Structure formats: structure tokens, C-alpha cells
Amino acid sequence: MDYTFFQHYWWAILSLLGGILVFLLFVQGGQGMLYTIGRTPAQRTTLGYSLGRKWGLTFTTLVTFGGAFFASFPLFYSTSFGGAFYVWMLILFVFVIQAVGYEFRDKPNNFLGERTFGAFLQINGILGPLLLGTAVATLFTGAPFTVGRMNLNVVGDFNTISEWATPWHGLDALADYRNLALGLAVLFLSRVLGLQYFINDIDDKAIVERSHRRLLWNSAAFLVFFLVFAVSLLFSTGMAVDPATGVVSPEPYKYLHNLVQMPAVAVVFLAGVLSVLWGIWIGISKASRRAIWFSGAGTVATVTALLLLAGWNDTAYYPSLVDAQSSLTLANSSSSLFTLTTMSVVSLAVPFVLAYVWYVWRALSRGRVTESEATGAVG
Amino acid sequence: MLSTAADLLNVVDWSRAQFAMTAIYHWLFVPLTLGLGPLCAIMETIYVRTGDESWRRMTKFWMRLFGINFAAGVATGLILEFEFGTNWSNYSHFVGDIFGAPLAIEGIVAFFMEATFLAVMFFGWNRVSRRFHLTSTWMVAIGANLSALWILVANSWMQNPVGTAFNPATARNEMISFWEVLFSPTAMNKFSHTVTSGFVLGAIVVIGVSAWYLLRGREQQMALRGIRLASVFGAAALVLALTTGHSSGMNVARTQPMKLAAMEGLYEGSARAEFSVVGLLKPEAERMTGDDAYRFELAVPGLLSWMSFGDVNAWVPGIRDIVNGNPEHGLLPVAEKIERGKVAIGELAAYQQAMQAGDAAALAALNAKFDPSTSEGAAFIDEYFRYFGYGYISAPADVVPNVPLVYWSFRVMVGLGCLFVLLFAATLWLSLKGAVEKRRWLLRAMVWMIPLAYLSTVCGWLVTEMGRQPWAIQDLMPTVAAVTKVPSSSVMVTFCIFLALFTALLIADLKILTRQIKIGPGE
């Protein structure tokens, strides 16, 4: 197992974490519909109680995703977070307001009022998936930055290792329809998953019926935007890296080539898409409680495969739009072999973590949430 | 607007302000999570062992307060991790190879444990068995403290960068020993001192709230139990906090002498150095040039030498010795360190030129200079590279932190620690005698100890973080070289937005907590 192996291994870990994170965004999707599915205070309390047991997992996965990216590809952390400053600050803002939303919303004397904390949850529910999806899309579409590691040797001037070439600091991503398409696809996927979660977890006829009714158009919107992104991605030019020289150059149909040249990833991608479609179908056709599991597993598989397409097979996973050689690749942006190896030992704990998360999830999900349970717990 | 060189200092100041503001708000919530977690777990353990429902009621009450506080802590904590990237992008690259690992491990092994079992703690009372619930509560308490371990390992590495080597090819520091990073004396001292002081704060909150109930004549049984339990727990934690505080101080004396000198307002180094109990410092210009830095001072001779090196006759360097150098004690002047730092940075520039020219011989020679396993490399690192960060410093006086702030923060922290010794001694003694509820003056004092405990813990962090300025990483990278290139106006705007948000959340948190306390545990 050499340096290249560990770089690819850590990209796979990040891809898996990314897949799990997108699945767990069902919490955000559900939040965004708190006031449309929940018509009465008691129904909103029930929805909040049901989601409130899971929001911590989404939040923790986001934190772990960030930490793992920092540890394994610090140059990306430095370049993207520092460069796309406005976008990341906006993302942080919408997640900060979520963290207190659940705990403070129903509490008496909460200073800002129940509706404000409810609005916090709705803002996070809409902007969280939209902005995360848009930001992740730049792993394929690129961003306007330059990297010069040796800028550190300039003293007394404002020279930094990475620089953003426009004054928009990340907001420029909104100007590319492909980024918006993925952002909107993630937003509507999170809503589909949120609705399927309500159907699965809540024992309330009105809530289940309303959730079922909204599945159709949210699914349709998701499929349209996902299709726009997927088609444009497969036919777009990507940045390939020569493993021998490290030189980065454009390659037409790069992501389509990646799909063909990595059949295992293609199988995971197709299986994931089919699983999501099956989940959507059984959700719409018969309001199946099992829809969330098919859509959820499919989401994890699809997103994992998409992220593998972005970084594996000698691909620049963060292309620079202004200087191709500044593009970030697994080889030029990873941590040292020592750190990746050490972190790989720690990563052996991941299956154990997933096992106890699953066990706890099952333990808490025995029996569906009822209005009396939720209002009793909060009241 | 793109950032310019003229904007650099503004960006540094606003970025420091943003990070400090976030860290201070975060730290208002974390110590209670650290301290209240184990106390809730102990209460629930007693409930499970005895089956006494009143312990269950008490546990649920304190858990409710724990949950409110935890949410605010999580909200403020998220942004800290990402601010290393958004505000300190040079730093993220320069040391991300080492610094990122503890953050990732924290997420994988600690935060997941905390967040997963937290759901059982709050939503599992009627869904899982008693023992499973109790295990979950302990897992949350352990997870929170494990989380603190990894964060403090990362922070300690910034104070004392060990287990690392500089790689000129990647222009960054790389980890060469994980165990050295994890078990560095700085990390172990900081972890044990921080966690035990969190336990002390948690105990003081339980004592203070319980005292409030006794003053109001409410919840007598729960309050007396709370005071007894928290007194024992807090007293034990305080002994450990004092012990680890002392060993932390000794470690600072070895690794960050400027911070120690600032903590003591010590300008002229001496053997049998005095510990300044309290004093009034002269203005900065007079402190650096005059004979005596104080207008008046109450000091104990030899105590600082003993506290720093375990020997009353040991020599402790002062700020002037560190800035101007002291050949007798082998201290280089900062001006010389700046020159050596520039030499080290110059070698990095030479490396870049050799790379661009494809000069293999020059690259090999420069690689040898940065290789600690060769004698040439060891000598270069010891004589030049260890001062790398000084190369970015403009003037020697820039390495002196804000002395009055550090000096007074340290005194407030230590003074309040001494006050807490008296508090725990009194509450323990009176609890054992069964007379605590009769001393109303003591009950009032217990309530007032709550804000003082917060003041003490924030002052501790002010000493730690302000005392190491101007360094982001001690001796290797000053904040001026660590910052992200964004317009200062952008950082100012985000600073104001998050200041307003966190202030609103703090007010909400306090109002909710006080209302929940007034409501009480309920039936």
C-alpha cells in the first residue's frame, strides 16, 4: 500500500461521508416543510420531535466531513474555504441557526419567539441543501483560484498560498447553471427524503397524507434538476492529470470516460440511481414506509459514486478556472503519507461507529411517533 | 474589492477578532457540558442502582438544562472548525497535515458518540431499557470529554509544535510522530486542566442552582442532594485542577517563556524570581525601559522560580531578556531571531528557484538542510528553521503580548480558584454536618459563584490565547502570515453578523435556562 493508495482510500472515505451526509439531509428537507405539513401546533411539535431525534447525526456528519477533509486534503481546505469565503460563511450561518432551533423553539421564554426559531429551521432546511449542493458541484465545474505554495517565502506583502481571482469569493458559483442544478437537485432530494421519513416515522394520518401528496412534485423537480446536472456532467470537459508529470490538462467527456473506465463505480452509480427511483416509485404509488430506505441507500451510493468520479481515475477534483496547473488533484493536495496512514488506522473505527449509530437509530425507532408522545415529551 | 497589502493588518485584526469572539462564546457553553455530563451520569447511576424515582426526577431536570446548553455549544462550535479554513487559509496549508488529524479523529470517535447517544439520553426514557439509557448517558459524558481531548491536542500543538518536520517541497510542516503530538506534556496538561476546571464549573452551577432553591424554600430534597453530590465531585475536581494548573505553568515556563513573563508582568529576569500577588503596571513605554515595571506590587520572593522550575533559586527570564537577549543565560535577542528566520525563509525561496530551474543538485542540498536526520539538517533546523516565524515579524517589540490583559486575566483566574477552594470546603463541611440550608449567606454566595466560575474559565483561556500572541503557531507562524486573503470589510461584516447572532443566542440560552430553573423539575 503506497502513497497513491492512501490518497485514493481517503478520497473514498470522504465520498462515503459525503453520500451519508446527503442522505441525512432528509432532516433539512423535513424542516423546510415544517409549516406546510404541520398545520396545527401539535402537528408541528410532532414533526419537530420526529426530526429532533436525528438532526444531531446530520450535524455530526457535516463536522466529521469537514475534519476529514482538513486532515486528508488540507490544501483544499485552505483553498476552498479561504477562497469561497462568502459561500462557506453563509453555509455556516444556516447550520448555526439550525443547531439551536430544535432545542429552543418549544421552550418558554426563548427571547426570539417560537416563530423565529421555526424560521431558522426553515431557512436551514432550504438554504442548507441548496448551498451545499452548489458548493459540491464546483468539485466538477471548478472555481477561479490560483495556488502558489511557495508564496510563503514572500515577507511583508499580502501573499497567500491560494488566492481567489474574482471579488465574488465563491458567489461566482451561482453563475454556472450546472452548480445551481446540483444545488436544486440536492434541495429537492432532501425534501423527498424528508417526506419519506415522515411517512416512515410518524403515526398521524393527516401528516402521512400530506407528505404523500407532496412527494410527486418534489420528486419530479428532483429528477429534472438531477437529470440536467448528470447529463451536462457526462458531456462536459473535465481536467485530467498526468500521474507521471502532474500536469493538468482539459479532457473532453472526462467524467463519461471515468464512468466507463471504472465499471465498479458505474455499477454503484447505476444501482444507486435505480434504488432512488424505486424508493420514489413505491413512495408515490403506495405511500410505502420502506421508501426512505431504498431512496436513502440509493442516495448514499449515487453521491459516493459521483464524488469518486470527481477525484479518481487521474482527475483534478477541484479544477481551477484561471490556471489549470493550480487545479487540485489527489496527489498534489493530500496530507503526507505518514498522516494518511495514521488516519487510516483511525478510519478502521468507522464501521464500529456506523454500527452503533444504526443500533441506536433502530432502538429509538421502535414504534412510530405519535402526537401524544411528542407533545408529552415537549410539554 | 480585492485585498491589498495595505489591508493586511486590518484583515489580521478582524480575523483575530472573529476567531476570538467565536471561541469566547463557544467557551461559555463547553465547560458546563464537560462538567454537567458526568454529574447527570452519576445521578442516573444512583437512580438505576436504588430505583428511587426522586433521583430520576432530579436527573431529568439537570439533563434538560444540559440539553439547552449543549445546543448552544454545538451552534458556536461548528463555525470554529471551519474558521481555520475561511479565515486562516495559510495556516490551514502550513500545518494542516498535523492539525487536521485531531479534528477528524474528534469527529469520528468522539462527536459521533456524543451526538448519537444524546438522542437516547433525551428521547429514549420510554423507548430503551434503564441500563441502556444509563450507558447512553455515560457515553455522552465520555464523548464530550473525549471531544475536548482532541480539540485540546490540536490547540496544544499550536502552543508547542512537536512531532513535526518541515518539508520544503510542499512548503508545510508534516507529522512525523503521532504519539508525540498526542502525548506532548503541553497537550496532557492542557487537557487535564481544562476538563477538571469544566468539572469545577459544572459542580458550581449545580451548587448555585440548588442553593437558589433552598433560598426560595423549594425542592429541598433535590437541592440538598445536589449540593452534597456536587461538593464532593467539585472538590475532587478542584484539587486536580490546581495540580494540573501548576504543572501547566511549569510547562509554559519551558515552552513559552514570553507567555510566563507576561502572566507575571516580569520584565527583568532574575534568580529567586518574585511571584507578583497583585500589582499596578506602569505604561508600556516605561515598562520596557525603566528599572521597575510596577507602580506598586505585592510579591513573594522566590515563589515564581519555584512555581516555574521547582527550585526557588532558578532563573526566570523577563520580557526585556527575551526581547533584547541575555548572553549569560543563552537567550538570543529577537532581532537576531528575525534575521535567522529570514535566512530560513530565504532557503525556501532558494528551493522554489531550484525547482523552477530543475536544478537537481541544488534541490538535494536544500533537502539535506531541512532533513532532521542528517547532521547538517539538524544544525540548520536548530540554528535557523526553529526561528522561521520570526522572519515575518517586523520589529522585536512585536513579540510582546498584551501584558496587562494577560497579567490580570491570570490573577482573576487564580484568585477565583482560591475562592472556590473556600466555597467547596465550606459546602462540604456544612453538607456533612447537615447544616448547609441554615447558612443563608453561604447559599447566596453559592448563587453568585456561578458567574464567577464562568469569569474564571474565560480568563484562563485569555491567558492561554492572548499570552501566545503574536503566534498562530509558536515561533513558526505569526498570525500576520497565517491569514486568508479576503477584504477586511468582508471579515468585518461576518464578524458583526455572528456577533449579533451569538449574542442573541446567548440571551435566549440564559432566558430559557433561568425559566427552566424557575419551573423546576416538575412531576
Side-chain angles (χ1 to χ4, degrees), chain A residues 52-206:
Chain A
R53 301 182 302 174
K54 304 289 169 15
W55 79 267
L57 288 177
T58 317
F59 209 88
T60 307
T61 308
L62 177 67
V63 171
T64 306
F65 185 71
F69 230 133
F70 197 2
S72 50
F73 297 97
L75 189 55
F76 171 81
Y77 206 82
S78 165
T79 304
S80 177
F81 284 77
F85 181 84
Y86 297 140
V87 169
W88 288 113
M89 277 294 176
L90 200 52
I91 289 174
L92 290 175
F93 181 86
V94 301
F95 276 92
V96 166
I97 59 176
Q98 183 213 20
V100 289
Y102 285 105
E103 193 59 41
F104 287 8
R105 194 171 63 94
D106 292 324
K107 296 283 188 299
N109 204 31
N110 65 13
F111 179 53
L112 297 175
E114 184 185 343
R115 288 201 74 86
T116 305
F117 287 105
F120 282 178
L121 292 180
Q122 285 199 299
I123 291 167
N124 172 262
I126 294 167
L127 287 183
L130 179 67
L131 291 172
L132 277 178
T134 305
V136 167
T138 62
L139 296 180
F140 300 94
T141 60
F145 63 87
T146 57
V147 173
R149 289 180 189 77
M150 297 297 171
N151 285 349
L152 268 179
N153 65 41
V154 180
V155 177
D157 203 352
F158 201 169
N159 276 342
T160 48
I161 286 165
S162 54
E163 289 187 24
W164 212 253
T166 75
W168 295 99
H169 285 285
L171 295 178
D172 18 34
L174 297 172
D176 188 323
Y177 79 93
R178 294 169 300 174
N179 298 336
L180 280 177
L182 187 60
L184 288 164
V186 172
L187 170 63
F188 285 106
L189 176 62
S190 73
R191 292 168 72 89
V192 169
L193 293 168
L195 293 167
Q196 292 175 340
Y197 174 74
F198 289 151
I199 293 169
N200 173 277
D201 196 52
I202 296 175
D203 186 10
D204 183 301
K205 199 176 170 193

Side-chain angles (χ1 to χ4, degrees), chain A residues 3 10 17 24 48-49 52-57 59-72 74-75 77-86 88-93 95-97 99-100 103-105 107-112 117 120 149-167 169 332-340 342-343 346-347 349-350 353 356-361 363-370 373 377, chain B residues 1-5 7-8 11 18 64 67-69 71-72 74-76 78-79 81-87 89-117 119-120 122-124 127-128 132 166 168-172 174-178 342 345 348-352 355 388 391-392 477 481 483-487 490-491 494 497-498 501-505 507-509 511-512 514-516 519:
Chain A
Y3 198 8
W10 269 97
L17 275 173
L24 292 173
Y49 180 80
R53 301 182 302 174
K54 304 289 169 15
W55 79 267
L57 288 177
F59 209 88
T60 307
T61 308
L62 177 67
V63 171
T64 306
F65 185 71
F69 230 133
F70 197 2
S72 50
L75 189 55
Y77 206 82
S78 165
T79 304
S80 177
F81 284 77
F85 181 84
Y86 297 140
W88 288 113
M89 277 294 176
L90 200 52
I91 289 174
L92 290 175
F93 181 86
F95 276 92
V96 166
I97 59 176
V100 289
E103 193 59 41
F104 287 8
R105 194 171 63 94
K107 296 283 188 299
N109 204 31
N110 65 13
F111 179 53
L112 297 175
F117 287 105
F120 282 178
R149 289 180 189 77
M150 297 297 171
N151 285 349
L152 268 179
N153 65 41
V154 180
V155 177
D157 203 352
F158 201 169
N159 276 342
T160 48
I161 286 165
S162 54
E163 289 187 24
W164 212 253
T166 75
H169 285 285
N332 72 16
S333 66
S334 80
S335 282
S336 65
L337 176 59
F338 182 89
T339 295
L340 290 182
T342 305
M343 290 297 303
V346 177
S347 75
V350 170
V353 172
Y356 75 65
V357 169
W358 177 255
Y359 183 77
V360 166
W361 181 307
L364 286 180
S365 300
R366 277 191 207 110
R368 298 162 79 182
V369 171
T370 60
E373 182 193 357
Chain B
M1 188 183 73
L2 290 177
S3 311
T4 62
D7 201 27
L8 172 59
V11 178
Q18 177 153 312
R64 205 185 313 147
I68 295 160
N69 178 73
V74 167
T76 48
L78 170 77
I79 186 169
E81 177 189 12
F82 290 95
E83 275 181 2
F84 284 109
T86 54
N87 294 72
S89 67
N90 264 9
Y91 170 94
S92 296
H93 170 72
F94 191 61
V95 297
D97 192 77
I98 306 125
F99 192 82
L103 297 189
I105 297 171
E106 188 243 353
I108 294 170
V109 305
F111 199 28
F112 257 113
M113 184 194 287
E114 205 179 345
T116 304
F117 289 101
V120 182
F122 288 104
F123 300 103
R127 284 181 174 260
V128 301
F132 184 17
F166 185 75
T170 53
R172 69 183 184 193
E174 295 180 352
M175 186 158 39
I176 54 173
S177 170
F178 177 73
K342 285 181 176 163
I345 293 171
L348 184 62
Y351 195 94
Q352 181 188 19
M355 271 206 312
F388 186 87
Y392 300 103
M477 180 172 254
V483 77
T484 298
K485 192 168 187 173
V486 284
S490 303
V491 189
T494 53
I497 290 171
F498 280 105
L501 177 65
F502 290 157
T503 304
L505 295 187
I507 294 169
D509 184 82
K511 285 174 76 77
I512 293 170
T514 48
R515 176 60 63 89
Q516 290 296 324
I519 292 170

